[in-house]
Each structure stands twice: as structure tokens, then as C-alpha cells.
Amino acid sequence: MTIHLSNSLFRRLLSSAVLVAALLPGMGTLAADLHLRVEAVNHTAAVRRIALSPDETLLATAGDDKTARIWQVADRRLLATLRVPIGEGDVGRLYGAAFSPDGKAVAVAGTQGDSRSPHRIDVFDAGNGAHLRTLALDAGNVVRLLWTRNGRDLAACLAGGNGIRIQPASGGPAFSDSFAQPCFGLAELPDGSLLASGFDGKIRHYRPDGASWTRVRQIDTEIADPQSLAVSPDGRHFAVGYRSRLPSREVAIDVFDTAKGTLARRFAFSDLRGGSLGSVAWSRDGRTLAASGRASDSDGYRLRMILKRITWPQGSVSTDFVATDTIQDMVPLGQDRFVVASSNGSWAVVPASGAVAPLGASVIDLRGPDNLKVGDDPGVVSFGSAAWSGATQFSVRARELQSGEGSGLAAPKRFSFGLSIERWENEYQPSIAGRPVPMAPLELSRAVALLPDDGGLVLGTSRTLRRLDRQGQQRWSVRTGSEVSSVNVSRDGRVVIGAQMDGTIGWWRADDGKPLLTLFVTIDGKWVLWTPDGYYDAAAGAESLIGWHVNRADGKGVDFFSIGKFRDKYHRPDVIDRVLELRDPQLALAQADQQRRAQPDAGPPPDDSPPVVAAPVADPQVQMLPPVVSVITQRMLRSSERTMRIEFSLRAGQQPVDTMVVRVDGRPVELASIAMPARQDGEAIGRLQVTMPERSAEVTVMGQAGSVYSEPVYLSWNWRPPAPPAPAPAAPSAAPRVTTPAAPVAAAPVAAAPAVAATAVPGTGGRCAGRCGAGRCGSASRRPAVPPCAMPPPFPRQSPAPPRPPRRPRHRALLRVRRLPHRDGRLPPPRRSDRPACRSRLCRTR
């Protein structure tokens, strides 16, 4: 979520040493490019895209919260948060992520361009999260990214009619092909060619052509909006998932023959209540085709997103509940697993067969137009999905968080005889009194609430919050950082309250849409409440949940500072207390400042006190911008040594960094050695060493400048015990070799020979013991008393080797032949075939 600072705060900050006296070399002029952001470790909004490193140890996620993150797949540990320049509304949302073929870099992109800045792809170091370079795109927001196997090119699906761009990863002119509708699907075939699908019902096939690319063919689909593509491991087929349904209302997954370009097989499902299977993936062993998306069934009043796993080519299908919100993307992992990402901000690994554990949400579920209720006091609200997480109640005045809805809270008003609104829930074209409401392309109407006097309504969409009058004319509109899932209006009609998909609750002034307050509550019950200017109050341990996002003017990256580092200036519960009552954050600040000057320890002024006029506060206290530490070393280290070596760089302001602070699992440790960088400009390199315990641990690195600390940088230390030394070769025995004379051998040693005697062959009644050396075996009377194989070995043995289990002979000469008696009852003499032949070819066990 983004909260834009007011002009008064910009003037105050720009006049203070926070942004002027502490300007950093190489950091550029910060101007007004500041944004207040939620930072809760996990994504706080939909995860749109995921990508696996080639060795499948790292996972990159990109989402609507305008960040990309790198995780360890094995233990789900966050290694780095990748930040890109952001702006108003959805500028900065990320919809593409791709690893380089060598796994050393990761590229991210999304809605990063606008009329003032070009569209771009940002490339980061996958090991330490450092920004490496920026690739400019000539047009279009990026919907999906793919890094070709040869490492040469980055392919990008673009929104609008911009089609596809294939950009050299090192820079240079790009290949472009325009589509009639947005490009959404992108996949690479084993031969290095590419498939791209658009919402015009066409799949295009591209091949490398020297330094460029060329389109070689085009495949038409029956459904007009192919959303994702998945290629089988052998490349013979590719699957297509669609955004829409068939005309029969069935949900379809199509499999095409790659060579012919024709439909080879269709899987159609009629058991899904709504939505479609827009995300598809093929397991690496080629045996399972997985599909999910917005398709859902119902468990009472709860929607459940469905995962279909189809065995290939048999076609048997399993249906499983996989998440409480849309599955946005999925990729294969290993031979028989998948990684899936959801709109609830989470990701998980699911098997290609067997039980599936549904994905849990990373933020409180605020979906549903009826899940936001308001009391007589607009600061008392309940929110949360009753279907899954249950409702939560919060009081701004009391700073109390309780479970349940409480009493006296009202749901939004949506019915009136004098004002009708239609097609407002999850629709692209709502209407008021029969007149359509103008909407942006692909903007969805999510929630609506009528004003108490029926004089108009408030509409929440996937991009904006807006107020409309009775004729459908827009009074005001504000861009939101996330989708507005539900809206409500205070009973006096003066405050609008909205819940957003990033887990935040916002209050706006009903007259003009001016933002007043924002609340964020974590699943474990921590909360933080702030104004657009950054004045806040928070529960214990919750100050790190928000911070300043600073777009650096040099274009080399982004800085982020937790709000808690400016606690002495911005922690103002007295300002929060007044905002909803005065409906003006600047006026609340001025009144609180006046109260502090008059009575530093007193509470808010009485109701009959004279009004205070808001005015900029002159000469704010001087604060220093915290230093920035960049770790050059890889964030995930594996070693069998006890010494951890870290390379880093520093960017500091007026006061340089005095020392480096390192913590191992939260405990401070002494540095074995340290060499500070020659310059603290972000370019020079410093080095330090830490003695580590013989176990895996989390390492935190910070720079200290006086009493100010940098943001921590986290590293993952995976200690592996060294391999045991190889055993020394045994010294040769000095004892002389003993040779047994021939004469004594025949009597004494041979008596102990039964341990190594031949084993009788099964199926012969014990009469054949097999060949032993040069001896022959037949009946018991013929068997030699001492077979040659019973001779003792020339070297003494510690213990005899266990005999191999005998196997049943297969030759028919060893089978017993039944002898029928004569009429007088006597048996005929045995025939030759009854006697097992004693030839080595026949008696040898197998």
C-alpha cells in the first residue's frame, strides 16, 4: 500500500536536515519521491508471478504490493526484498519475474512506467539482492517475463495492444510484435523457440533469426482469452489455460500438438461453480498437468479455489481445494511437485499427486462487500471474512483489538427505492439509474455503499475509490495502492471507510476524498495506525510494519527506512486521537503541537477551547537520515568452516558510520576482523569476519552512525560439518606367509571343511550338490568324501562370506518325472531322465 505525503510535509521535510543537510553522495536529490509503505516480511497483496532458479533452491515472487522477494525454497526463509521505483495508484506493481539461466540474476517488471518515466525491466543480483541494471522498454506495462535458455534475451508480454518485446539482456534494440489485445501467456519450447498468447484468441510461435526473432506461425483458439501456456517436457504438446469459459459454461484446458498446431485433446469440467482455470503447469516428469485459477466450488457460503491434476496421457483427474483466493501462477518443482502462488499473498509447494494442504493467507482476508461494518463512532469498525478468518473489531479511540463483530455495527447500505445501482459486484460496467459508470480498461467494480441521505454512493474498484451522485456523475476519485474490496459510510455521512486487499483499512473525508487514517493489522494481532503525513501509533513491536520508501534520484535503486527509526518525531498518538474528529490531519497536528507547547503532559484540549488554525510548523527538529548498508556477499552461505567473511558497502550522510554491528540469531557477537570501506559512497568495499557456531544461524548486519542504525541486512548461514578424514591405509603385515605342507592337509584341516561345502540344488531331493572344483556329483554313494572346494584358503579369513541363496534351476532335465506303477503295484526301474544330469551346464544354479 502507498500513502502519498502532503505538500506541507514535503516542505517540512525538505527544509530539515532529514532530506537536505543529510543528502548522501550518490544518493541524489530526494525531492518529493517518498512513499509510506507497509512492510510485513510476507507479501501483503496478490502474488502475481513466481520463478524458480535453475537449481531450484531459490524462488522469486512478484506482487501487487510493489515488491519482489527472494526465498529459500527448502525452509521458506526470506533472503532479500527487491524494490523498484513506485508512484501513485498501481505504478510499481510487479507482474513479471524470471531468473537468468545461470541463476545469478533475477529480472522483475510490471506497471513501472507512466507518462513521466519510461517502462523498464530491473535486473538484480539473485545472491544478495543488489540492483544491477535497468533495461528500458519502448512501451507497455509488463504482464509476464521469460529469460531464454541461452541467456541472451528477455521476453516480455505487454498490456494493451503492445504485444511482445524480446529484449537483449545486455541491452540493445528489441524485437517487437503488436497484438490486438493484451499478451498474457509466454513459454519456451525445448528448441529455444517461444510461444506467446494474447487475448485476441491467437497463439504466436517465434524462432530466433540471427540477432533478432521472427514469427513463424499463428494458432487460433476457440476461447478468446488464452491466459497461460505450459509446454510438456518433451516439447510435443503444450497446454493452454483460459480466462473465460466455454459457451456451455464448462471450464476447459486445451492441449495442442506442437508440430501440427492443432488441438490434440480437451479437458472440460462442469463441476466448477465459477471462474476459470487460467494457470497451467506441466510436471517435469511429464506425467501430470496441473491447472488452477479463479475456478471455485462452494463449502456452504465459502468459496474454495480448486486445483485440477490431470494424469497424462491417461486423463484421470483429481479435484482438490488448494486456496481461499485466486491461484495467479504455478511452476513445476523437481520431478513431481509444483509451486503455486495466490492472491492471498502466499505461496506453497503442492505434490503432483496425493493430499494438498490449502494455502494460508499472509494478511487478514478482507474480501467480500459485506465484511466491513461501522458503528456510531466511525473509528469503531469490524472487518475480516466471516467465512475463513472470522471478524475482528478495532477502536481507534481506545486502540483496542478484539475478535468478533461486536454489537451496534452496521453493514453498508446498498438498497434504496430512490436510487438503484446494478451490476456492481465483480463487474466491468456497473450502472446507476440505468446509466453506465465510466471505468478504466480491465477495472472491476468490487463494492458499493449508498450515502445515508441517498444523495449518492461510494464505489470501490480494483484501482480507485470514487464518489458518485444520483445521476452517476463523479464527485471525486482517489487512486488506491490495492483493490478496494469493501466500502462503508459513517452514519453521519462525513467519513468513508474502505477495506483493501493488502490488509489495510482506510478512512477518507466524504466531501472531497482526502485520506485521513490508515490501519494495518497482522494475522497475529499486531497493529499500526498512521496519517498520510507519517504520524503514527502502534502496538508493541509493530513499528517495523511501515516505513519510508525513497525513490533515489540517481535511478540506481531504492532505499527503505522503517518508521521506528524516526520514532521521536513521528510517534504521535495525540495526533491520531484528533484526526477522525477534525477530519483534517494537518489541523490535528497543529492542535496537538499547541497542546504540547502549552502543557507537555496534558491530554487533548477541552471541547470549548478555541479552534486552532492549521499552519506549517517552522524549523522542525533536525534528524539525520540513517545510513544504508549493502551486503555484497551472497545472502545464503554454505560452509564447513567456522569463519564467515562478509563484504559490504556503506552510504552515509553528514555523520559517517562508526562501526558495524553483527548479530547471530539476535545476539551481538564480536568481530574477528574488520576493514571499513575507504569511502562511504556506496561504491567502496569493506570486509569483516565473524566466528560462527557449529550450526546453522541467521546473521544480521547493521551500520551504526552515532546513535542511529541502518536497516538490518539478513544473511542465512548454513554450516555443514567437514567431511571426516579418509582412513589411513593399513600397514602391510610383517608376518611371513605360511604355506601348509601337502601331507598334513588331507587329515586335519579337511575335517573342518563342511562350512564351505557345496550347497544342494533345490528340486533334486538333495541328491545333487553341484560341481565342486573338478569333482562330479550324482547319488550320495558317488559323492566324494572330500570335495576339492573344501580345501582351506591360502590366507586366513576373519569370517566366511554368507552363501548366496540358491535359485531354482530352470533346465527341464532337473524336473522330476512321475513313474506310474505296473499292474502288480511294482514301480518300474528309474529312467535316465529321473536322474539329474551332472553336467556343469545343467547343474549350475543361476
Side-chain angles (χ1 to χ4, degrees), residues 364-632:
I364 294 178
D365 189 355
L366 298 180
R367 290 175 301 159
D370 296 317
N371 291 330
L372 179 63
K373 299 182 179 180
V374 183
D376 294 333
D377 178 358
V380 178
V381 294
S382 72
F383 49 87
S385 171
W388 297 109
S389 58
T392 300
Q393 181 179 336
F394 185 81
S395 171
V396 173
R397 183 179 299 275
R399 308 291 203 278
E400 290 182 352
L401 188 68
Q402 301 176 351
S403 61
E405 296 180 357
S407 60
L409 304 181
K413 177 184 176 182
R414 286 199 296 268
F415 175 77
S416 172
F417 289 105
L419 181 61
S420 65
I421 178 169
E422 299 174 341
R423 300 191 304 274
W424 59 268
E425 187 170 10
N426 301 324
E427 295 285 347
Y428 291 104
Q429 195 62 71
S431 65
I432 299 176
R435 290 182 289 272
V437 176
M439 303 282 283
L442 299 180
E443 182 180 13
L444 274 170
S445 172
R446 295 294 194 188
V448 67
L450 300 178
L451 297 175
D453 59 357
D454 293 344
L457 56 89
V458 179
L459 183 68
T461 76
S462 56
R463 296 184 179 181
T464 63
L465 178 71
R466 59 181 78 176
R467 178 176 173 178
L468 308 171
D469 61 20
R470 294 176 60 89
Q471 287 73 40
Q473 299 298 316
Q474 182 173 290
R475 289 274 302 273
W476 52 260
S477 176
V478 293
R479 298 292 296 270
T480 56
S482 183
E483 295 189 11
V484 180
S485 57
S486 55
V487 294
N488 209 328
V489 182
S490 64
R491 296 186 182 180
D492 59 9
R494 300 193 298 175
V495 178
V496 174
I497 305 96
Q500 300 185 68
M501 294 292 287
D502 61 1
T504 59
I505 306 294
W507 286 261
W508 290 264
R509 192 160 61 194
D511 292 339
D512 55 5
K514 181 181 180 63
L516 303 176
L517 276 178
T518 305
L519 169 70
F520 178 72
V521 180
T522 64
I523 291 179
D524 58 359
K526 295 180 181 179
W527 58 267
V528 59
L529 189 64
W530 67 94
T531 71
D533 296 337
Y535 298 99
Y536 74 95
D537 194 11
E543 287 184 328
S544 61
L545 292 175
I546 59 172
W548 297 112
H549 172 112
V550 183
N551 293 332
R552 291 171 54 190
D554 60 5
K556 294 184 179 180
V558 169
D559 291 318
F560 183 85
F561 305 101
S562 298
I563 196 69
K565 297 192 178 302
F566 309 98
R567 178 183 176 83
D568 56 346
K569 181 174 183 179
Y570 289 108
H571 183 238
R572 296 293 299 271
D574 53 343
V575 175
I576 301 297
D577 290 338
R578 295 170 166 85
V579 171
L580 292 183
E581 179 183 354
L582 299 175
R583 299 190 308 284
D584 190 327
Q586 285 73 41
L587 185 59
L589 174 63
Q591 191 179 97
D593 284 346
Q594 184 188 54
Q595 184 70 24
R596 278 192 172 191
R597 288 190 293 266
Q599 298 177 350
D601 298 329
D607 295 339
D608 56 354
S609 60
V612 179
V613 178
V617 179
D619 300 324
Q621 67 181 60
V622 175
Q623 293 186 354
M624 184 179 63
L625 196 66
V628 177
V629 175
S630 299
V631 173
I632 312 302

Side-chain angles (χ1 to χ4, degrees), residues 49 60 103 219 304 317 365 385 388 503 529 597 657 664 723 841:
R49 296 291 177 265
I219 302 170
R304 312 187 311 167
V317 180
D365 189 355
S385 171
W388 297 109
L529 189 64
R597 288 190 293 266
V657 173
V664 176
R841 182 173 60 84

Side-chain angles (χ1 to χ4, degrees), residues 12 19 53 139 233 240 320 387 461 503 532 534 592 600 709 730 769 780:
R12 296 178 60 202
L19 300 181
S53 61
V240 184
D320 298 274
T461 76
Y709 292 85

Side-chain angles (χ1 to χ4, degrees), residues 281-290 307-311 316-318 320 332-339 349-356:
W282 217 308
S283 64
R284 298 196 194 281
D285 61 9
R287 298 178 180 179
T288 306
L289 176 61
L307 172 69
K308 295 284 188 180
R309 291 175 293 180
I310 307 166
T311 60
S316 60
V317 180
S318 64
D320 298 274
L333 172 65
Q335 292 297 311
D336 55 357
R337 293 181 295 166
F338 300 96
V339 182
V349 177
V350 299
S353 61
V356 174

